């Protein structure tokens, strides 16, 4: 119920291509779905996030598509660049519980964009 | 404004040794978190502190203790290290909740890479 399943584990894309990472969840109480980007040797940083009342959110080359009925959401990176090579984590939050917001993270996708 | 800082960056321990990982944030955030990151496992919550003076267990608390020293600092202690605690540890913080979406954002430190032999 509390899991967030992420796929694929790794992804290789040519420069200029589209990178797609998928996540699925079971708990319908989740109400916030962020994506975090992590470069080697660094901590994760928020990339983009969506709430379940919208089906899509776009910020530059990054888009989240959200399918509430299927309980799935995905990250699309358009015109992928070598600088996008990083590990990407999806996450879900159940909202305000026990005095704060907590995330359940997916297992991560290592993206490599070839020049 | 340094954000979230963690010390040390690297540490090697022998089985049974103890150590404390330090974390501090200068963003005046209320909530702080400790995660561990293992290959293929993502980030798993160890402990969190919703506000100064409170701490709670997360998903994988066994073998760890925490102290919220003040609003800025949140430390993680391994009393008797085990090889299974070899991992990269991240501290994070977030603002107090309000109507803004930013209230959900967690800001992460650079991590501590711990090896237990």
């Amino acid at each position: 119920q509390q899991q967030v399943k992420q796929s694929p584990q790794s992804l290789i894309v040519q420069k200029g291509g589209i990178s797609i990472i998928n996540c699925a969840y079971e708990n319908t109480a989740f109400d916030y779905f962020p994506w975090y980007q992590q470069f080697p040797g660094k901590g994760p940083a928020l990339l983009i996030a969506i709430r379940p009342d919208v089906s899509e959110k776009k910020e530059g080359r990054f888009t989240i598509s959200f399918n509430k009925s299927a309980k799935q959401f995905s990250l699309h990176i358009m015109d992928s660049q070598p600088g996008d090579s990083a590990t990407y984590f999806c996450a879900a939050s159940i909202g305000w519980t026990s005095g704060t917001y907590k995330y359940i993270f997916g297992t991560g996708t290592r993206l490599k964009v070839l020049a | 404004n340094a954000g979230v800082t963690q010390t040390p960056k690297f540490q090697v321990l022998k089985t049974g040794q103890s150590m404390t990982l330090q974390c501090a944030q200068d963003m005046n955030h209320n909530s702080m978190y400790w995660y561990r990151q293992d290959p293929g496992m993502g980030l798993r919550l160890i402990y969190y502190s919703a506000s100064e003076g409170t701490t709670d267990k997360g998903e994988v608390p066994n073998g760890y203790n925490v102290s919220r020293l003040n609003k800025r600092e949140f430390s993680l202690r391994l009393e008797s290290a085990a090889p299974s605690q070899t991992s990269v540890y991240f501290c994070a913080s977030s603002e107090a909740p309000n109507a803004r979406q930013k209230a959900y954002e967690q800001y992460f430190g650079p991590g501590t890479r711990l090896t237990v032999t």
Side-chain angles (χ1 to χ4, degrees):
Chain A
Q1 268 278 356
Q2 288 292 89
Q3 281 187 325
V4 176
K5 295 182 179 178
Q6 184 172 349
S7 63
Q9 190 171 9
S10 63
L11 182 61
I12 299 175
V13 174
Q14 293 287 339
K15 179 181 175 182
I18 302 173
S19 305
I20 301 174
I21 305 170
N22 301 298
C23 285
Y25 64 97
E26 288 294 324
N27 190 341
T28 56
F30 288 148
D31 67 349
Y32 179 77
F33 300 88
W35 285 89
Y36 276 76
Q37 180 187 53
Q38 183 183 29
F39 292 107
K42 305 292 185 183
L46 180 66
L47 181 64
I48 187 172
I50 198 168
R51 292 184 188 274
D53 53 349
V54 298
S55 60
E56 185 175 283
K57 183 172 182 180
K58 185 175 181 179
E59 290 184 4
R61 295 184 294 108
F62 300 91
T63 300
I64 300 179
S65 297
F66 189 85
N67 186 330
K68 191 172 181 178
S69 59
K71 292 185 280 188
Q72 295 175 347
F73 60 109
S74 58
L75 175 69
H76 296 239
I77 307 174
M78 310 301 287
D79 187 26
S80 299
Q81 298 297 312
D84 297 330
S85 297
T87 299
Y88 293 81
F89 293 96
C90 63
S93 174
I94 203 167
W96 181 249
T97 58
S98 303
T100 189
Y101 300 103
K102 298 194 295 287
Y103 292 158
I104 303 294
F105 280 90
T107 50
T109 296
R110 184 172 291 187
L111 171 66
K112 185 173 178 66
V113 181
L114 301 176
Chain B
N1 190 335
V4 179
T5 57
Q6 293 184 235
T7 54
K9 284 188 168 50
F10 301 94
Q11 184 71 47
V12 178
L13 291 178
K14 291 188 183 341
T15 298
Q17 287 185 318
S18 63
M19 80 159 294
T20 300
L21 280 63
Q22 307 286 354
C23 173
Q25 51 90 11
D26 62 0
M27 297 175 283
N28 200 35
H29 284 171
N30 269 24
S31 300
M32 298 185 73
Y33 314 82
W34 276 106
Y35 291 91
R36 60 178 289 172
Q37 182 178 15
D38 303 291
M41 304 285 285
L43 292 147
R44 292 181 293 168
L45 184 64
I46 304 171
Y47 270 93
Y48 66 98
S49 171
S51 60
E52 186 178 354
T54 69
T55 61
D56 267 304
K57 295 178 181 179
E59 184 185 352
V60 289
N62 291 347
Y64 305 95
N65 284 301
V66 291
S67 295
R68 183 74 182 267
L69 305 170
N70 47 55
K71 191 171 185 179
R72 288 188 65 248
E73 297 171 289
F74 188 38
S75 62
L76 178 73
R77 182 159 179 85
L78 287 70
E79 290 291 352
S80 179
S84 61
Q85 294 178 305
T86 293
S87 187
V88 182
Y89 291 86
F90 288 99
C91 177
S93 69
S94 64
E95 295 181 62
N98 54 39
R100 298 176 298 161
Q101 185 160 327
K102 273 194 173 179
Y104 279 94
E105 181 175 358
Q106 292 187 11
Y107 295 78
F108 284 80
T112 294
R113 186 174 294 272
L114 175 67
T115 302
V116 183
T117 60

